[in-house]
Amino acid sequence: REKDDKYKIRMPKLRMAQEYKDKRKSIVDVERNIFKFKKSSEEKSRKREKEEKFFRETFMYDKEINVINTATAECSVPSERRVDLPVTAGEQLDVIDVTEGHAVICRNSEGRYGYVLVEHLNFR
């Protein structure tokens, strides 16, 4: 026993300041949030691809998707059909294509496509 105690080095416990511990924890949380962000962006891109595929099949749209103009919705309009895009007041929409009549094909910030009446849009 005496020999073991002789070679055993005892290190004093260093006490960390509470602020330093909290700071260390917050840094670890930030790093973890970065990884969660990457995962959610991948999910969003998959969802956008799925919406684009649905749009191309439903609207039989073979052309390249280009944003012609941006518009702001003046009032909230629920969708009655799947091809209509539900719009909330003040929402920014990308105008993709102009159709015959009073409707245009738009894309919202979530990546959904659909018809919106020109009467409900405010072009800048």
Side-chain angles (χ1 to χ4, degrees):
R1 269 190 175 175
E2 291 175 12
K3 289 181 181 178
D4 291 341
D5 288 340
K6 186 177 180 183
Y7 295 111
K8 197 173 192 179
I9 300 170
R10 297 195 181 191
M11 297 293 289
K13 278 192 174 182
L14 300 174
R15 297 186 182 203
M16 277 193 257
Q18 189 65 28
E19 296 170 6
Y20 181 73
K21 281 184 180 180
D22 293 340
K23 189 175 182 182
R24 233 177 61 194
K25 286 180 185 176
S26 67
I27 291 170
V28 172
D29 292 341
V30 168
E31 289 174 0
R32 288 184 183 156
N33 288 340
I34 292 170
F35 295 122
K36 287 180 184 176
F37 176 74
K38 287 181 181 178
K39 185 178 179 183
S40 66
S41 65
E42 289 174 8
E43 290 173 3
K44 285 181 182 178
S45 65
R46 273 193 230 117
K47 187 176 179 182
R48 283 184 183 257
E49 288 174 7
K50 186 178 177 183
E51 287 289 338
E52 184 178 331
K53 183 180 177 185
F54 178 79
F55 164 69
R56 289 188 181 279
E57 290 173 357
T58 306
F59 291 81
M60 293 180 224
Y61 198 82
D62 297 332
K63 299 183 263 180
E64 186 178 340
I65 297 174
N66 289 328
V67 177
I68 299 170
N69 200 349
T70 57
T72 308
E74 290 182 339
C75 58
S76 297
V77 180
S79 65
E80 297 175 10
R81 306 175 295 170
R82 176 63 173 115
V83 293
D84 293 335
L85 185 64
V87 177
T88 57
E91 183 178 12
Q92 288 276 345
L93 299 171
D94 296 330
V95 178
I96 304 298
D97 200 358
V98 179
T99 61
E100 295 177 14
H102 298 286
V104 291
I105 298 174
C106 293
R107 176 178 61 198
N108 66 4
S109 60
E110 296 171 3
R112 287 191 62 192
Y113 296 85
Y115 289 116
V116 179
L117 293 177
V118 177
E119 306 151 6
H120 302 302
L121 299 176
N122 182 15
F123 294 95
R124 291 182 182 173

